[in-house]
Amino acid sequence: HDHPNAPPAPPQPAMVSMKKCQALPLLALLSPLAAHAVLRTRRGDGSPPDSLAADMASCLDTAKEFLEKPTAVKRVRERAVDYCVDKTTHKDKYICANFLDAVALSLRGLPEEQALTAQTFCDLTEARMHEAIGATLVPNVGKGTLVDFKVDQDKCSALATKAIDGKTVSKSDAGELWYTMCLHQDCAHNLPSRTKGCSVDRAPTHNAWVCEAAMQHMKSETTRKEKTKPLDEKTLCEMYDHFVGDLSVCVEAYVFVMHKGDSANLPPPAQARRALLSARLVGNAGMRKLRDGVGKFVKPNES
């Protein structure tokens, strides 16, 4: 769109990375699912999906509380997490760290100085959180929703064996291997002119952003000491299971804050770690409040 008020395009897959959070595709077969509906669908309680418009309205109601005017991306993350810290009870403040991960993942790839409004913020975050469900839909890996996803060890191991192809690989190769397994199954990697012999005919299950997110997650989770460790099929499948688990935490935290959800699927860390994390979040929010409250120095009149 060339209109000056058009929302920014979502970050391209090649620019996406993540640490503790994960991903879903805006699939034709899943839309018009909204954050609440996705949450209910993942829990499998059979509730009817809300409309996409109602979901967006819910996001906007919350976003307008911390984005009253166009704000640079580098400040949006701060305002979002500080809003969470201010609005949550002491026992739930640890969730704000996961919420920050979800926001950062959604805005990844945008220029730091690009201004976002509440509307453009929700356009981006709602799309990304919807796309995260695609992590559970990659063929031949596992089944379940984000909150109860289970790897199918037989199918996943067979897929991993095919990807490894008898080569000796290390844990540092896991990201690239999963990117290939995620994106290039069946005939997905072929040009249209080279798919005449393909027997697979189905709607896409996920988009490339999921695959990129999985790759970046595995790279970030592999320590320097682990990089040279041999990688087998079981470990490769376990790494994807961890990826989906971390992604689920991001989506749950996002729904908790932006859609006033509950924390049932966000178990707290150990008491000591939770206290330290809460104190750090509150302290950082306080420092930013002091920083932003400082006025500009008065310049002396020039004669």
Side-chain angles (χ1 to χ4, degrees):
H1 301 283
D2 296 325
H3 193 280
N5 293 323
Q12 295 302 308
M15 304 175 75
V16 176
S17 63
M18 65 190 301
K19 291 185 180 179
K20 296 266 174 130
C21 294
Q22 306 92 345
L24 115 104
L26 214 46
L27 303 174
L29 66 133
L30 287 179
S31 58
L33 290 178
H36 308 307
V38 169
L39 183 62
R40 285 200 298 267
T41 301
R42 286 187 285 110
R43 288 176 176 164
D45 66 4
S47 302
D50 293 338
S51 70
L52 185 60
D55 240 19
M56 182 61 73
S58 173
C59 178
L60 282 171
D61 284 344
T62 302
K64 286 176 181 177
E65 294 189 45
F66 58 86
L67 293 177
E68 298 176 352
K69 59 183 180 180
T71 305
V73 168
K74 64 182 180 182
R75 296 282 188 240
V76 169
R77 292 187 293 267
E78 295 176 351
R79 293 192 180 182
V81 70
D82 291 350
Y83 167 83
C84 177
V85 170
D86 183 54
K87 295 297 182 179
T88 54
T89 62
H90 181 72
K91 72 179 182 67
D92 287 333
K93 290 196 189 301
Y94 70 93
I95 298 173
C96 298
N98 303 127
F99 173 62
L100 175 59
D101 284 341
V103 171
L105 178 62
S106 299
L107 305 184
R108 185 81 68 182
L110 294 180
E112 288 290 280
E113 298 301 328
Q114 180 172 327
L116 298 182
T117 63
Q119 180 68 60
T120 51
F121 173 85
C122 287
D123 287 342
L124 290 162
T125 58
E126 288 291 301
R128 287 311 188 203
M129 293 300 101
H130 279 270
E131 290 175 357
I133 200 70
T136 68
L137 302 176
V138 177
N140 303 311
V141 176
K143 58 184 178 180
T145 63
L146 276 179
V147 295
D148 61 9
F149 180 77
K150 300 292 183 185
V151 163
D152 184 320
Q153 198 61 54
D154 292 337
K155 287 185 177 180
C156 184
S157 293
L159 182 64
T161 299
K162 186 176 179 180
I164 293 174
D165 194 25
K167 298 186 291 288
T168 301
V169 294
S170 64
K171 201 169 182 180
S172 62
D173 299 316
E176 283 79 4
L177 279 172
W178 261 113
Y179 185 82
T180 300
M181 293 158 62
C182 174
L183 193 64
H184 293 175
Q185 285 192 54
D186 303 322
C187 301
H189 61 296
N190 290 334
L191 294 172
S193 61
R194 299 190 177 186
T195 58
K196 291 182 179 179
C198 296
S199 59
V200 177
D201 183 15
R202 56 171 167 74
T205 54
H206 59 286
N207 69 15
W209 184 63
V210 171
C211 306
E212 178 71 20
M215 178 176 69
Q216 297 296 343
H217 178 270
M218 291 173 193
K219 285 183 176 180
S220 69
E221 292 294 300
T222 303
T223 65
R224 185 174 298 179
K225 289 183 178 180
E226 292 178 321
K227 285 186 176 181
T228 57
K229 282 187 175 182
L231 184 67
D232 57 24
E233 290 84 352
K234 182 180 179 181
T235 303
L236 196 59
C237 293
E238 287 174 348
M239 292 179 75
Y240 192 82
D241 194 36
H242 295 160
F243 159 69
V244 176
D246 282 349
L247 181 54
S248 174
V249 170
C250 276
V251 176
E252 293 286 342
Y254 175 84
V255 173
F256 175 79
V257 177
M258 298 304 298
H259 295 286
K260 308 298 188 289
D262 61 62
S263 58
N265 290 305
L266 290 163
Q271 183 63 35
R273 185 172 181 274
R274 179 169 61 171
L276 179 62
L277 184 59
S278 297
R280 186 176 299 163
L281 288 163
V282 171
N284 289 342
M287 286 190 293
R288 284 191 284 268
K289 188 174 182 179
L290 287 173
R291 178 200 67 191
D292 296 341
V294 174
K296 295 182 180 179
F297 290 105
V298 177
K299 295 181 180 180
N301 292 328
E302 296 181 1
S303 56

